[in-house]
Amino acid sequence: KNQVEQSPQSLIILEGKNCTLQCNYTVSPFSNLRWYKQDTGRGPVSLTIMTFSENTKSNGRYTATLDADTKQSSLHITASQLSDSASYICVVSEGSGTYKYIFGTGTRLKVLA
Amino acid sequence: NAGVTQTPKFQVLKTGQSMTLQCAQDMNHNSMYWYRQDPGMGLRLIYYSASEGTTDKGEVPNGYNVSRLNKREFSLRLESAAPSQTSVYFCASSEVMGGPSGTQYFGPGTRLLVL
């Protein structure tokens, strides 16, 4: 069964610190992987997209990595800010022609001053 | 550009009542989706429309119907609301379904409470 698992479920860090969120998937065949940020009470917003051949993709203080061999991705947040407090969702697209999106349950990040 | 808009923002229904959630996008996207989000669970796909004129069931379609009114609009109807349908509903759109051009853009959500 195609699945996307994220860890940790929740995380609390101090402002200015770095953190790394994990995403493991069993989706096959694989098309691409996206990370979304969802602020409380809002819809998710795309941060990055990575295809099979890409290992690293950055968007400001957000850096995503992908290891297609081990089917793992991570999202690294550098010098965290209070505004980084949100849920981060990993979404994998199937490459079978249906192109369905498989969503993880997200990691809830809280950044404290 | 407004992106993806949803109405209403919040709704309270009694069991058995019906309602339609409206969604519109102004990005000329081909594909549109309806999701529900419940605490502790990921977004779950209710219905989707890969292109104008087509609709397909997602993961949790029971109790819902959809209409792709035109390229811009995709509505979700609850014929007889049940407390289990209490949730936050998100509409999304993408240029195409899946692939590198398939980034989804989400609306602000509709919070539905069924008593």
Side-chain angles (χ1 to χ4, degrees), chain B residues 8 37 52 115:
Chain B
Q37 187 175 41
E52 186 181 359
L115 302 175

Tab-separated table of all heavy atoms in Angstrom, chain B residues 8 37 52 115:
chain	number	residue	atom	x	y	z
B	8	PRO	N	-18.994	28.730	2.032
B	8	PRO	CA	-18.727	29.723	3.072
B	8	PRO	C	-17.443	29.416	3.822
B	8	PRO	O	-16.825	28.385	3.582
B	8	PRO	CB	-19.939	29.556	3.990
B	8	PRO	CG	-20.248	28.092	3.914
B	8	PRO	CD	-19.972	27.706	2.482
B	37	GLN	N	-10.012	17.489	6.136
B	37	GLN	CA	-8.908	17.373	7.082
B	37	GLN	C	-9.469	17.253	8.483
B	37	GLN	O	-10.167	18.140	8.959
B	37	GLN	CB	-7.967	18.578	6.991
B	37	GLN	CG	-6.708	18.426	7.824
B	37	GLN	CD	-5.732	19.582	7.613
B	37	GLN	OE1	-6.121	20.737	7.525
B	37	GLN	NE2	-4.447	19.257	7.524
B	52	GLU	N	-11.844	19.669	-17.011
B	52	GLU	CA	-13.237	20.098	-17.135
B	52	GLU	C	-14.049	18.994	-17.801
B	52	GLU	O	-13.634	18.430	-18.808
B	52	GLU	CB	-13.305	21.384	-17.963
B	52	GLU	CG	-14.674	21.991	-18.029
B	52	GLU	CD	-14.705	23.261	-18.872
B	52	GLU	OE1	-13.633	23.665	-19.376
B	52	GLU	OE2	-15.792	23.834	-19.022
B	115	LEU	N	-24.392	19.065	13.730
B	115	LEU	CA	-24.896	18.740	15.065
B	115	LEU	C	-25.907	17.607	15.018
B	115	LEU	O	-26.586	17.414	14.000
B	115	LEU	CB	-25.524	19.985	15.681
B	115	LEU	CG	-24.578	21.197	15.809
B	115	LEU	CD1	-25.343	22.403	16.312
B	115	LEU	CD2	-23.430	20.851	16.759
